[in-house]
Amino acid sequence: MKAKIIEHSEAATNFNKDIKRVDWHDETLWFVREKRDKAAFQIPEWELLRETASKIKNNVLSNIHNYLVEFESNALKNGIIVHWAADADEHNKIVHSIIENHGVKQMVKSKSMLTEECHLNEYLSEKGIDVIDSDLGERIVQLRKEPPSHIVLPAIHLKKEDVSETFHEHLGTEKGNNDPQYLTEAARMHLRDTFLTRKVALTGVNFAIAETGEIVVCTNEGNADMGVHLADVHIACMGFEKLIPQRKHLGVFLRLLARSATGQPITTFSSHFKTPRDGKEMHIVIVDNGRSTQLGREDFRNSLKCIRCGACMNTCPVYRRSGGHSYHNAVAGPIGSILAPNLDMSKNADLPFASTLCGSCTNVCPVKIDIHEQLYKWRQVLVKEGHTPTTKTMAMKGMATVLANPMVFDLAGKAGRFAMKNIPAVVNNSLNPWYKQREMPTPPEESFREWYKKNGKESKDKHHE
């Protein structure tokens, strides 16, 4: 039975109850944003790199069929087994069938947002397969039975004290020892046995090169390499938008990815996987799962350029102060809010409204996705399709009527000013969402229209003198 979805506003309210944690979360992510800025501005050609990457991705999306065929052809020549999955269910069944064919009940997995999107871990668990996430952040949240809250920093919502408690409970570490080096060493020893004993390893894909039929996986911990090189079977799962045309284009994206994500010049490991080793197997599962639909939406196709750097999350004032779990979606933050409605408008109708539309997300996107513009466009689509709450729809219609009629607008303004001045309880109460977080403003003595009628002519005359 699936858990009830808590809308973003309610989940954010719960997150904001711990004010100190919210402030810490906000400051930590802004620190990462500042690192991104320093790393980006050290490169004179930064904007040229962004523009180049954006155009390469435009080319890929406009010619996706040809590049997919080219990639499959070259991958097959390399000895890789290629699978195609129309949706999450088919993806999960393919992965399970590969594991089942090798008669194993355990798998080691490095970070893969696609498998989070497809809920692979839960699916395999129901089938009796033990999955160990080998990325440190992913392993922490897996032990806590939580989803990741960030696509690059999965456990960013947790403090070292939280990790210490989790490791004490599950790994038997010393209670109250919050030293990060001690905790990291404990995780390393815990995962070392996993790498040595798992015969099937699964990775995500950062980039898939059509020209060569190879994939590139970027990590800072080397966990993908450890899992793959010690396993008999390597399964790589990718959304079809991960393609780039040629290997020479990889340099553009590698210079952008880590700088945008964590402020590093490049990820510690950028691993190329092209052919299976002797006696071993390599599988690539290429997944659609709504991407074709998004590709066909002219206003939203650019969202498929995303290289999953997380820069938009680190800069977003709403994400930083509401937490990744408030987005009830595998990919949180601004980019998740334009990807999620494509999969299910009804389920994710609240997410495009979780934004100030400040445009900071668009400003930092390394592939120039017009994120804040797409958020605004999604709002329009969702309203037209009837996916907004009835109360909000009625309120907006009422507001439209007031704003469209000068006489009604004037009367409403006078009534509002009178109520705020003489019976403030009408607006200063818990039923007014604005009042929950802010003091109501002091009502003006007159409206701007009234002031202008008195002073407008005089101001014009002075201006012409």
Side-chain angles (χ1 to χ4, degrees):
M1 184 177 175
K2 291 185 178 179
K4 177 182 177 290
I5 291 174
I6 300 175
E7 288 208 350
H8 181 273
S9 57
E10 184 181 346
T13 300
N14 291 334
F15 184 73
N16 273 263
K17 288 176 181 176
D18 188 340
I19 296 173
K20 288 185 178 179
R21 184 178 291 266
V22 172
D23 289 343
W24 169 81
H25 188 264
D26 182 21
E27 291 164 7
T28 302
L29 285 162
W30 187 251
F31 169 71
V32 181
R33 159 70 205 267
E34 288 179 321
K35 285 178 64 183
R36 173 262 175 205
D37 289 350
K38 290 174 184 175
F41 298 147
Q42 286 173 357
I43 304 178
E45 65 273 24
W46 178 255
E47 289 304 318
L48 176 61
L49 283 170
R50 290 181 70 211
E51 182 64 23
T52 304
S54 179
K55 287 181 176 178
I56 291 170
K57 281 292 188 177
N58 271 336
N59 174 269
V60 169
L61 296 178
S62 298
N63 300 279
I64 194 71
H65 170 77
N66 295 334
Y67 287 126
L68 283 169
V69 170
E70 182 183 2
F71 175 75
E72 180 190 37
S73 175
N74 288 324
L76 291 172
K77 289 176 186 175
N78 295 337
I80 300 170
I81 303 167
V82 180
H83 308 263
W84 299 86
D87 54 29
D89 185 56
E90 191 170 359
H91 162 270
N92 293 343
K93 287 177 179 176
I94 289 170
V95 173
H96 180 238
S97 69
I98 297 169
I99 297 170
E100 201 170 40
N101 288 343
H102 288 83
V104 299
K105 292 292 183 181
Q106 299 174 321
M107 182 179 78
V108 63
K109 180 166 79 71
S110 72
K111 188 186 294 179
S112 163
M113 291 315 299
L114 175 66
T115 60
E116 292 289 342
E117 175 189 320
C118 296
H119 303 290
L120 177 67
N121 281 18
E122 297 91 328
Y123 180 89
L124 292 179
S125 179
E126 290 173 2
K127 302 292 182 183
I129 307 298
D130 180 30
V131 180
I132 296 289
D133 278 301
S134 60
D135 175 271
L136 179 55
E138 292 277 355
R139 185 59 181 149
I140 291 167
V141 295
Q142 185 182 34
L143 289 172
R144 295 172 63 91
K145 294 181 170 55
E146 295 175 355
S149 66
H150 190 289
I151 56 179
V152 175
L153 312 163
I156 192 64
H157 59 290
L158 300 171
K159 294 186 175 184
K160 60 185 179 182
E161 292 81 5
D162 303 317
V163 177
S164 177
E165 289 178 13
T166 301
F167 280 12
H168 173 68
E169 179 184 350
H170 295 278
L171 306 184
T173 55
E174 180 186 345
K175 187 173 179 59
N177 191 332
N178 304 328
D179 178 33
Q181 186 171 343
Y182 168 74
L183 296 172
T184 304
E185 183 63 25
R188 184 179 289 116
M189 296 307 296
H190 161 64
L191 289 169
R192 186 61 53 90
D193 177 65
T194 300
F195 291 129
L196 291 170
T197 57
R198 262 52 174 181
K199 299 302 180 185
V200 177
L202 185 145
T203 69
V205 174
N206 288 94
F207 305 102
I209 304 170
E211 176 187 44
T212 60
E214 69 187 294
I215 63 168
V216 179
V217 181
C218 302
T219 68
N220 278 325
E221 300 168 22
N223 54 305
D225 301 73
M226 288 283 285
V228 168
H229 292 315
L230 293 171
D232 295 331
V233 182
H234 175 194
I235 305 172
C237 302
M238 57 173 272
F240 67 58
E241 80 281 6
K242 295 293 185 179
L243 282 171
I244 59 174
Q246 296 175 292
R247 184 183 274 175
K248 68 180 182 182
H249 297 139
L250 188 63
V252 174
F253 292 97
L254 290 181
R255 295 182 75 193
L256 288 165
L257 177 60
R259 286 181 171 89
S260 297
T262 56
Q264 298 168 254
I266 195 167
T267 47
T268 309
F269 299 91
S270 299
S271 307
H272 295 242
F273 298 100
K274 186 176 180 182
T275 59
R277 290 171 295 134
D278 290 343
K280 312 296 182 182
E281 284 184 19
M282 182 175 173
H283 298 256
I284 294 178
V285 187
I286 303 173
V287 184
D288 186 324
N289 200 39
R291 286 161 175 76
S292 291
T293 304
Q294 191 84 322
L295 187 64
R297 299 183 195 272
E298 187 176 350
D299 287 337
F300 305 111
R301 73 192 296 268
N302 276 351
S303 62
L304 294 174
K305 292 180 183 178
C306 178
I307 59 173
R308 302 296 194 269
C309 68
C312 60
M313 301 179 185
N314 302 336
T315 198
C316 176
V318 176
Y319 174 90
R320 296 201 320 263
R321 299 197 68 83
S322 63
H325 289 155
S326 64
Y327 290 82
H328 60 78
N329 186 55
V331 181
I335 186 64
S337 297
I338 59 176
L339 292 171
N342 176 65
L343 292 172
D344 189 327
M345 281 194 208
S346 178
K347 175 183 169 185
N348 300 300
D350 58 314
L351 298 183
F353 294 90
S355 169
T356 64
L357 300 181
C358 66
S360 186
C361 49
T362 300
N363 289 341
V364 300
C365 178
V367 288
K368 291 193 168 184
I369 302 172
D370 51 337
I371 302 175
H372 75 291
E373 292 177 8
Q374 291 195 33
L375 286 166
Y376 178 59
K377 288 173 182 175
W378 263 123
R379 293 182 184 187
Q380 297 174 60
V381 171
L382 292 164
V383 170
K384 288 178 182 176
E385 295 289 333
H387 291 295
T388 50
T390 304
T391 51
K392 182 179 283 190
T393 302
M394 296 302 294
M396 289 297 104
K397 286 182 178 179
M399 183 67 75
T401 301
V402 171
L403 295 175
N405 190 314
M407 187 178 294
V408 175
F409 179 77
D410 189 45
L411 287 171
K414 287 178 178 177
R417 291 194 298 278
F418 178 84
M420 290 174 70
K421 185 175 182 180
N422 299 291
I423 34 177
V426 171
V427 289
N428 294 348
N429 59 67
S430 60
L431 297 176
N432 179 2
W434 180 273
Y435 184 68
K436 289 179 183 178
Q437 301 290 337
R438 309 167 184 85
E439 293 293 326
M440 294 301 294
T442 303
E445 292 298 323
E446 59 186 356
S447 71
F448 174 77
R449 287 163 60 87
E450 291 169 339
W451 177 90
Y452 190 77
K453 281 180 181 179
K454 293 178 185 177
N455 301 282
K457 186 176 185 302
E458 183 182 338
S459 298
K460 284 181 180 177
D461 291 340
K462 284 183 179 179
H463 178 71
H464 288 298
E465 285 179 0

